[in-house]
Amino acid sequence: MSNRHLMGRRQFLVLSSTCAVAAATVGPKLFAGEAASPKRLAVGFKAFDQEAVVSAASIPAGDGTFIGRGARVTASGASGTSAEPRAHRAVELVAHFSYLDGAERKVAPFRAWGCSRVTGCQGSPVGFNVPVDEVQRIVLSVGVERGTPSGATSRREAIGIGVTESADLPLVLSLQNEAGAYALARGFYVVVPMFEGDSAPSWSSWTVRAVDGRFALVDATGNVASFEHFVLRVDYAKL
């Protein structure tokens, strides 16, 4: 990697640290009326042959059939969001592909979905294949933000010039019994960014349906959940 790219990353980290220090110094007065910092993801799951959504933590075991077939992940855009883009929480979904460079294992990020907190979320669902034979897991991260992006049109600009806090929350789907990971199975994973004071959804009250060209969490009458969420459809890459 060139020095030019390394310098860009250092600048990014400096800007991120500066914003974090400013937030800690000014305290609640600066962010009065804003949501608290993101802490975790609430993750639900609906199997293809079931109707109700359950907590993803209750999936009994990973599906070993993914080995040799790989996984096909389809990411739907955010649903249940405010009409005001600045009120959105999730701003990107990144898939982290593991590969060998000689004897060294490395990770390559792929930005599967993104959303601007200035111009709003656009675009259709995107699908991509993830091999699972070697590492037996799918590693994703959800980028979330809070604060005022001050007219920025990208995440980096928002961190650099706006009063914005940013975090990347991990989401791991695994065939192994890993701490902090969810079992990898065929079905829909519903992802909800959680802030301090939020309660996890009552999953059994919901199901997943296609609404306006993307999958969303809906109640018994077909109404989309009013809290921000997005849905990942996970199936075998080779059926």
Side-chain angles (χ1 to χ4, degrees):
M1 183 176 292
S2 67
N3 291 334
R4 178 171 60 85
H5 287 96
L6 288 173
M7 180 57 70
R9 177 170 174 78
R10 293 191 185 103
Q11 290 172 343
F12 171 75
L13 293 174
V14 169
L15 288 171
S16 301
S17 301
T18 302
C19 291
V21 170
T25 303
V26 182
K29 292 183 180 179
L30 180 63
F31 295 115
E34 296 283 355
S37 298
K39 294 298 180 184
R40 65 185 181 90
L41 299 173
V43 183
F45 177 78
K46 190 189 90 66
F48 291 147
D49 59 352
Q50 296 180 355
E51 189 69 14
V53 178
V54 299
S55 170
S58 68
I59 303 173
D63 181 355
T65 310
F66 279 100
I67 297 176
R69 292 187 174 185
R72 178 71 176 176
V73 180
T74 303
S76 290
S79 298
T81 55
S82 167
E84 171 54 53
R86 293 169 188 258
H88 293 181
R89 297 180 174 187
V91 293
E92 67 178 7
L93 173 71
V94 177
H96 302 274
F97 286 82
S98 176
Y99 69 98
L100 283 175
D101 183 5
E104 182 181 1
R105 182 163 294 281
K106 297 182 178 180
V107 175
F110 165 65
R111 190 171 187 256
W113 171 83
C115 177
S116 168
R117 293 177 62 238
V118 175
T119 60
C121 303
Q122 299 174 348
S124 303
V126 60
F128 53 95
N129 292 346
V130 183
V132 297
D133 289 18
E134 295 182 4
V135 295
Q136 299 188 15
R137 64 207 303 249
I138 298 174
V139 180
L140 308 164
S141 61
V142 179
V144 291
E145 290 180 2
R146 67 172 287 253
T148 305
S150 302
T153 57
S154 71
R155 191 179 185 198
R156 180 170 294 188
E157 289 176 355
I159 296 170
I161 67 173
V163 185
T164 305
E165 284 185 296
S166 175
D168 293 306
L169 305 180
L171 175 61
V172 179
L173 310 179
S174 177
L175 297 178
Q176 307 289 335
N177 186 19
E178 297 184 49
Y182 299 98
L184 174 58
R186 297 175 69 231
F188 298 96
Y189 290 83
V190 183
V191 183
V192 181
M194 300 286 288
F195 288 74
E196 285 182 343
D198 289 341
S199 298
S202 176
W203 296 117
S204 61
S205 302
W206 306 94
T207 190
V208 174
R209 291 284 185 271
V211 180
D212 296 330
R214 62 175 177 264
F215 294 111
L217 204 60
V218 300
D219 63 17
T221 60
N223 294 317
V224 176
S226 59
F227 49 86
E228 184 174 334
H229 65 279
F230 60 92
V231 177
L232 301 176
R233 185 184 188 276
V234 179
D235 201 352
Y236 305 135
K238 301 176 183 178
L239 297 176

